[in-house]
Amino acid sequence: MSSPSQSITHDRLTSEEVVQFEQDGYLILRNLCPESLRQEMLAATQDGLSRVVEPVEYEADVEYPGSPPSRNVMGGETVRRLKQAHSRGMSFTDLVNHPALVNRLAQLLGPDYVMPLAHHNCIMTKQPEFSSDTLWHQDIRFWSFERKELISVWVALGEENLDNGCLKVIPGTHRMEFEPERLDDRIFLRPDVPLNEALIDTSVSAILQPGDILFFHSRTFHAATRNYTNRAKFSAVFTFRPADNPPVSGSRSAAFPEMIIHTTP
C-alpha cells in the first residue's frame, strides 16, 4: 500500500470525468493533493496568520453577512484571506506544477495554459467566531478576460463540511445566461426570485476531506455559510486560463504577472 504522500497518481481525467465537468461545471477529485505538500501549505498558512503576513484581506473588508462592520470593532481584524499564496512558500508553487494537477487541467483548458496571479492565488480562511456568509456568485463577475473560460482549483487543507462552511455549487450554471433582474447590485444571485429559488434547490455541497481538490468553472455559481465550529477552516485556491484567453488590457485582471505552466506531453 502506498503512503499518503505517494497516493497521488499522474493519471489523467477519465472520459467520464471530463464529461461530468463539462456538464456540471465542477468536479471533486479525492486525495489528489500530496500529503507532504498539504502539510507544508497548512504550516505556511498558520505561520502567515499568526504573524499576519501581508497582503491579507479581513472579514470586515468584504461587508458580507456576518462580517464585523469595521476593523475597529471586536473581530474586525479577523483575516479572511491570505493573498498571493504563490509567494508564501514553494509548496504552493510545487502543487500548481505537479503533474497530477497539470495533466488534468491540460485536458480541460488545452495544452497551453497559465495561472493569473491577480485572482485567487490565495488561502481562504474561515475562523470560528467572525467568519461570514458568501452569497451565490460567479467568480467571473469582476474579472476581465476575452472569454469567460477559466477554471479554479480549490484545495482542502483540512476537512470541509456543512458545519464549517464548505462550498456549495449549482451544477450546470456555467452554461446558463442570467438576466440582470436575477442579480442584485453586487451581482449576487437573488434568492427571492422564483427562478433562482428553484435553481438554488439543485445545489450540491462540496464536502471535502484533507487533500481533496475541487475543480470549478469561473461561471459556476457557488456560495458558502460562515464557520459554525470552534476550529478554523483553510483552503488554497488558484485560477487558470487557456493561453489564448488573455486578460483585458488595462483591467484589474491584467494588473499582475502570470505564471506559465509547463505541461507534459
Side-chain angles (χ1 to χ4, degrees):
M1 181 179 294
S2 299
S3 66
S5 62
Q6 297 172 325
S7 62
I8 193 166
T9 71
H10 295 179
D11 294 340
R12 294 158 58 86
L13 293 173
T14 66
S15 57
E16 291 79 10
E17 288 171 331
V18 172
V19 169
Q20 181 183 344
F21 183 84
E22 292 175 348
Q23 175 179 304
D24 294 339
Y26 80 96
L27 182 67
I28 295 174
L29 298 174
R30 302 295 182 186
N31 196 31
L32 192 64
C33 177
E35 178 63 11
S36 58
L37 290 184
R38 185 189 73 83
Q39 292 283 0
E40 290 174 23
M41 290 188 290
L42 182 59
T45 297
Q46 292 169 332
D47 176 66
L49 282 172
S50 65
R51 297 190 294 119
V52 193
V53 178
E54 296 284 352
V56 303
E57 175 184 75
Y58 295 91
E59 285 286 358
D61 297 340
V62 295
E63 299 179 343
Y64 288 171
S67 296
S70 77
R71 293 192 193 179
N72 300 319
V73 301
M74 181 179 293
E77 294 189 347
T78 301
V79 174
R80 179 177 185 268
R81 189 161 58 123
L82 295 171
K83 299 181 179 180
Q84 297 300 312
H86 168 56
S87 68
R88 293 178 181 271
M90 279 302 300
S91 55
F92 299 98
T93 302
D94 289 343
L95 175 69
V96 300
N97 283 288
H98 198 289
L101 195 62
V102 171
N103 292 348
R104 288 167 168 84
L105 282 172
Q107 289 178 263
L108 301 175
L109 293 169
D112 297 313
Y113 71 89
V114 301
M115 185 177 84
L117 301 183
H119 302 302
H120 284 150
N121 181 27
C122 67
I123 302 108
M124 301 295 299
T125 82
K126 277 189 180 287
Q127 303 296 331
E129 293 185 80
F130 298 102
S131 60
S132 58
D133 297 325
T134 306
L135 306 182
W136 291 104
H137 69 284
Q138 298 169 308
D139 281 342
I140 197 67
R141 61 184 178 151
F142 294 136
W143 299 356
S144 301
F145 292 85
E146 287 190 0
R147 304 191 309 278
K148 298 179 179 180
E149 298 294 330
L150 299 95
I151 293 175
S152 292
V153 169
W154 182 284
V155 185
L157 299 184
E159 186 175 350
E160 306 201 11
N161 53 49
L162 291 173
D163 293 329
N164 66 7
C166 71
L167 278 190
K168 298 179 181 180
V169 297
I170 307 180
T173 44
H174 67 303
R175 296 183 286 110
M176 301 178 184
E177 297 295 332
F178 291 82
E179 298 79 10
E181 57 268 22
R182 296 180 66 177
L183 307 170
D184 65 18
D185 292 341
R186 300 184 70 177
I187 323 183
F188 289 118
L189 200 63
R190 290 177 51 191
D192 59 322
V193 174
L195 275 176
N196 293 347
E197 184 178 6
L199 193 62
I200 292 169
D201 285 342
T202 69
S203 66
V204 175
S205 298
I207 296 175
L208 306 176
Q209 295 300 314
D212 290 349
I213 297 182
L214 167 69
F215 287 46
F216 62 100
H217 195 282
S218 60
R219 296 184 65 191
T220 299
F221 271 93
H222 55 287
T225 68
R226 65 198 74 179
N227 183 353
Y228 293 104
T229 73
N230 59 5
R231 297 184 62 184
K233 181 175 77 69
F234 306 122
S235 318
V237 194
F238 303 94
T239 296
F240 304 87
R241 67 166 178 85
D244 64 353
N245 183 29
V248 175
S249 179
S251 69
R252 184 167 66 94
S253 298
F256 284 80
E258 298 180 300
M259 179 188 295
I260 297 174
I261 304 296
H262 296 287
T263 59
T264 57

